[in-house]
Amino acid sequence: MDFNYDDLKGISSLATWKKLGPFIKPYTRLLIKLGLFMLIASGVDIIMPLMAGYAVELFVEPNTLEGLWIFVLVCILGGLCMFIGTMSMAVFAIDLEMYISRDLKNALFDHLQTLGFDYYNSTPVGTILARTLSDAGKIGTVFAWSIVDMVWALGFIIGSIVVMCVINIKLALIIIAIVPIVGVITYIFQKKILAANRKVRHINSEMTRKYNEGISGAKTSKTLVIEEKNADSFRETTENMRRSSIHAVMLNAVYVPIVTLLTSVSVALVLTKGGNSVIAGAIGIGELTIFINYALVIADPVQQFARTLSRFISTQVNVERCNYLLEIEPQIKDTPEVVEKYGTAFEPKKENWEPIEGHITFDDVTFMYSDGTENVLEHFNLDVPAGTTVAIVGETGAGKSTLVNLACRFFEPTGGRILVDGVDYRERSTLWLHSNIGYVLQTPHLFSGTVKDNIRYGRLDATDEEIIAAAKLVSAHDSIMRMEKGYDSDVGEGGDQLSTGEKQLISFARAVLANPRIFVLDEATASIDTHTEQLIQNAISKLLGTRTSFLIAHRLSTIRQADIILVVKSGKIIERGTHEELMKLGGYYADLYNKQFSDESTEKVFNEVK
């Protein structure tokens, strides 16, 4: 699920930019101040050519210095106004840039927290990073400083044209004639520039993604000896980036000089016409000086306006990409009625949350993945009383996680319903359910920080004593104390300073500390040694006594005491019952168990002989 550039065939759209309104509206007063100071700056710029003409009329032609001090004072005052206007503009523009970038990045990050597994399963991390960092940052920068350039350029162009029309309308019309020509050229070029920049941003996302994969997967790359393949792939991407960037820059490099050429031609015509008028005695030298100054300096704001418009056009793709992300609807979301009563993930109304017992019922549930073609579950029924332990077994890729993801409301059934304590869980807050689930993964994720910080994520108000107690309960304490700084040891990015087993132990302690009513253990002891696993199994048996739990297991010996075992094959539940019932049945589970038991016995004998 990613941004589709083929769907964007149009040119620069005001509607696209209007979607930034919520991020700009809070800073309307700042925007107005910025515009006013830029108008002051452009006003001073408009006055300066007049001052040059007046200097010729008042002092040069009469050959006198009488009243010069007043003229100098006015010039100093104008310079002071320019200084104040420019300094204030810079401060306001920086503030506007930072505020818009901050709010947009916060909104993107907050929205990402609401998206479900389907989005993260289909969207590369590099693409997400490009949206939240690169695109959002560029939008803030271009918007704030383009406002500065546009207000100044428009203010100067309009003000100068008015003054020039008052001085000599025939000469002014030569300058005015350039405006529609520039407009037509801009319309032609903007489609090409926008398309080129869309492609550049797309390739940039690819490059960010490959950077991320190259760094996060460096160990795997080295063990597979695929460094050369990765390097070749990255070189191909950077080469595409080079070609596309040059194409985009070339379009701008052609567009801006064309505008410059037209401006220069108009200036030449003005100077020719004005010079002839002076020779004919139709205008004075002072008047000609004023007009010459305007004719020379007006080229800069016209070019500045063209460059700013070009930046706006090229930045539209960044706006489109951010809008696209913000407009993605979460696959799992609460109804307005539920939000009204229970609040949101960011503003929960916990006082309205009902206590949860953990009685889960699958009522005629049918489920198909959004990108699937056939049902994974069909008219499935299962009643899990509170405190029941459900084990789910099957080969790798059989679909064991589907049931758990449905029970946890990471996905929702496409037919039927799932009840929690007798109520359809879609009538309760998603956060309410997730806050009562302890989930331990086979490859758990740890956040940057200390061991203590990571365990405390289970309950943010937990004391150090409670953290240590949770660690001891899952036999993680001794392992933690062997680390250099104990509970204050840094786990590294993603926990890469620790072994997989240590990460699992910390993840266990984190889940235990949360004291949830529902536990999910997804191959949770797969990377722990046999001795530690036995200790954890003893702790789990005590811990899960009054809690509903789902165990996804590869080692069948660990789930023999489960209240019900579900056997999954090819996405379908083919057997269900207790361990004894399934063994008597002599079906798929019995064959799987006997084969695994034989393999484990052989391995044990081999280790003893060894």
Side-chain angles (χ1 to χ4, degrees):
M1 185 189 299
D2 194 14
F3 190 74
N4 189 351
Y5 290 83
D6 294 332
D7 292 340
L8 301 174
K9 303 298 185 183
I11 59 174
S12 183
S13 169
L14 184 60
T16 299
W17 287 91
K18 280 183 177 179
K19 293 178 181 178
L20 289 179
F23 303 100
I24 298 170
K25 188 176 180 180
Y27 310 108
T28 302
R29 299 178 74 176
L30 182 60
L31 195 59
I32 292 172
K33 290 178 182 178
L34 178 60
L36 287 174
F37 277 102
M38 286 316 302
L39 288 175
I40 291 173
S42 63
V44 175
D45 284 330
I46 291 170
I47 292 173
M48 287 305 175
L50 287 174
M51 298 300 292
Y54 292 151
V56 172
E57 288 184 357
L58 296 175
F59 307 116
V60 177
E61 286 192 83
N63 195 24
T64 179
L65 297 177
E66 185 176 350
L68 180 63
W69 68 273
I70 298 177
F71 182 84
V72 172
L73 187 62
V74 171
C75 288
I76 293 173
L77 183 61
L80 184 61
C81 289
M82 174 63 75
F83 174 78
I84 294 173
T86 303
M87 288 295 295
S88 301
M89 171 275 297
V91 172
F92 293 145
I94 291 173
D95 283 346
L96 188 62
E97 175 189 355
M98 293 297 105
Y99 283 135
I100 291 176
S101 294
R102 180 200 65 184
D103 292 355
L104 187 53
K105 289 175 182 177
N106 286 342
L108 288 167
F109 189 83
D110 288 348
H111 186 65
L112 284 168
Q113 309 308 302
T114 69
L115 298 181
F117 284 12
D118 59 315
Y119 177 77
Y120 290 101
N121 287 342
S122 60
T123 308
V125 174
T127 299
I128 300 173
L129 290 175
R131 299 281 194 282
T132 54
L133 299 178
S134 178
D135 289 338
K138 186 175 181 181
I139 289 169
T141 300
V142 170
F143 184 84
W145 293 98
S146 292
I147 290 296
V148 168
D149 294 336
M150 275 195 162
V151 171
W152 174 82
L154 281 174
F156 188 88
I157 291 170
I158 294 171
S160 298
I161 288 176
V162 169
V163 173
M164 291 168 67
C165 285
V166 172
I167 296 174
N168 190 316
I169 193 168
K170 291 182 179 180
L171 294 178
L173 288 174
I174 297 175
I175 297 294
I176 296 173
I178 193 179
V179 176
I181 300 174
V182 171
V184 172
I185 292 173
T186 299
Y187 178 82
I188 294 171
F189 269 86
Q190 69 171 336
K191 290 201 298 183
K192 298 181 181 294
I193 293 172
L194 183 56
N197 280 280
R198 282 173 178 156
K199 186 175 181 180
V200 168
R201 295 307 307 165
H202 176 65
I203 297 174
N204 184 68
S205 290
E206 281 291 300
M207 194 159 60
T208 304
R209 178 182 65 80
K210 289 184 177 181
Y211 252 126
N212 179 72
E213 290 179 351
I215 295 171
S216 60
K219 294 179 180 178
T220 303
S221 296
K222 290 184 179 299
T223 56
L224 296 175
V225 197
I226 57 172
E227 294 95 335
E228 185 176 355
K229 178 182 177 297
N230 290 345
D232 290 342
S233 176
F234 191 76
R235 288 192 192 97
E236 182 180 352
T237 304
T238 55
E239 177 61 21
N240 289 337
M241 185 69 171
R242 182 192 67 82
R243 287 197 300 266
S244 299
S245 297
I246 289 176
H247 178 62
V249 171
M250 285 296 293
L251 288 171
N252 281 281
V254 173
Y255 170 59
V256 175
I258 287 176
V259 176
T260 303
L261 177 62
L262 290 172
T263 305
S264 300
V265 170
S266 65
V267 170
L269 292 174
V270 166
L271 291 175
T272 301
K273 180 68 174 177
N276 291 333
S277 298
V278 170
I279 294 172
I283 61 175
I285 296 177
E287 185 177 331
L288 177 61
T289 302
I290 293 172
F291 213 94
I292 289 174
N293 276 281
Y294 276 123
L296 290 172
V297 298
I298 202 171
D300 184 58
V302 170
Q303 294 173 50
Q304 184 65 39
F305 184 81
R307 284 193 294 268
T308 303
L309 188 59
S310 178
R311 283 202 304 271
F312 257 111
I313 293 168
S314 64
T315 306
Q316 180 180 319
V317 68
N318 303 92
V319 180
E320 289 168 338
R321 285 154 54 95
C322 288
N323 286 340
Y324 173 81
L325 176 52
L326 290 171
E327 290 170 0
I328 294 176
E329 288 290 333
Q331 191 179 60
I332 308 299
K333 62 179 180 178
D334 295 329
T335 64
E337 294 77 15
V338 171
V339 171
E340 177 66 25
K341 181 177 180 180
Y342 297 104
T344 66
F346 299 104
E347 296 179 351
K349 298 178 181 178
K350 293 187 177 182
E351 65 276 8
N352 295 334
W353 287 9
E354 294 86 352
I356 183 172
E357 295 181 6
H359 185 175
I360 299 175
T361 305
F362 288 77
D363 182 17
D364 195 34
V365 170
T366 297
F367 177 72
M368 177 192 297
Y369 286 104
S370 58
D371 57 351
T373 57
E374 62 179 35
N375 290 328
V376 177
L377 293 176
E378 287 185 351
H379 306 293
F380 175 73
N381 292 280
L382 177 68
D383 187 57
V384 184
T388 301
T389 298
V390 179
I392 307 171
V393 302
E395 296 177 345
T396 301
K400 299 189 293 293
S401 298
T402 300
L403 274 174
V404 171
N405 288 335
L406 284 168
C408 295
R409 204 184 172 190
F410 297 140
F411 294 99
E412 289 181 347
T414 50
R417 57 186 186 152
I418 296 177
L419 311 178
V420 176
D421 295 342
V423 179
D424 189 329
Y425 65 10
R426 285 172 286 203
E427 297 177 13
R428 299 279 179 86
S429 166
T430 305
L431 184 63
W432 166 81
L433 178 60
H434 291 173
S435 297
N436 285 284
I437 295 175
Y439 208 123
V440 182
L441 296 166
Q442 180 179 357
T443 54
H445 178 81
L446 298 186
F447 298 93
S448 297
T450 65
V451 171
K452 184 189 300 180
D453 293 336
N454 272 277
I455 298 177
R456 184 172 273 127
Y457 276 119
R459 196 173 82 245
L460 296 177
D461 60 351
T463 64
D464 289 354
E465 290 74 18
E466 289 173 321
I467 290 172
I468 294 172
K472 287 182 177 179
L473 185 60
V474 298
S475 304
H477 178 73
D478 292 341
S479 177
I480 293 171
M481 293 308 296
R482 284 195 294 270
M483 298 178 189
E484 184 178 355
K485 296 182 180 179
Y487 285 85
D488 292 319
S489 299
D490 186 37
V491 303
E493 184 178 356
D496 59 6
Q497 296 293 322
L498 308 180
S499 68
T500 303
E502 288 172 330
K503 287 192 287 187
Q504 280 189 325
L505 288 171
I506 293 171
S507 180
F508 254 109
R510 181 168 62 193
V512 167
L513 184 65
N515 193 28
R517 296 301 306 165
I518 301 171
F519 260 105
V520 177
L521 307 181
D522 187 352
E523 302 280 10
T525 60
S527 299
I528 297 176
D529 62 84
T530 306
H531 174 69
T532 305
E533 181 185 15
Q534 186 59 51
L535 293 175
I536 292 178
Q537 289 295 338
N538 294 337
I540 289 175
S541 62
K542 298 177 183 177
L543 190 67
L544 302 184
T546 59
R547 293 172 171 81
T548 304
S549 56
F550 292 88
L551 311 179
I552 299 177
H554 176 69
R555 296 178 187 172
L556 303 185
S557 58
T558 64
I559 49 92
R560 283 179 296 189
Q561 302 305 316
D563 298 306
I564 183 170
I565 298 172
L566 302 177
V567 184
V568 182
K569 184 178 182 181
S570 301
K572 308 292 183 182
I573 296 173
I574 59 172
E575 295 176 358
R576 69 170 75 184
T578 63
H579 173 73
E580 289 76 14
E581 291 170 345
L582 292 175
M583 291 300 293
K584 287 180 182 179
L585 185 64
Y588 184 82
Y589 175 84
D591 290 342
L592 201 64
Y593 182 86
N594 289 330
K595 181 179 183 300
Q596 192 174 106
F597 182 78
S598 175
D599 291 343
E600 289 178 356
S601 298
T602 302
E603 183 180 355
K604 182 178 180 181
V605 170
F606 177 79
N607 290 333
E608 289 176 355
V609 172
K610 185 178 177 180

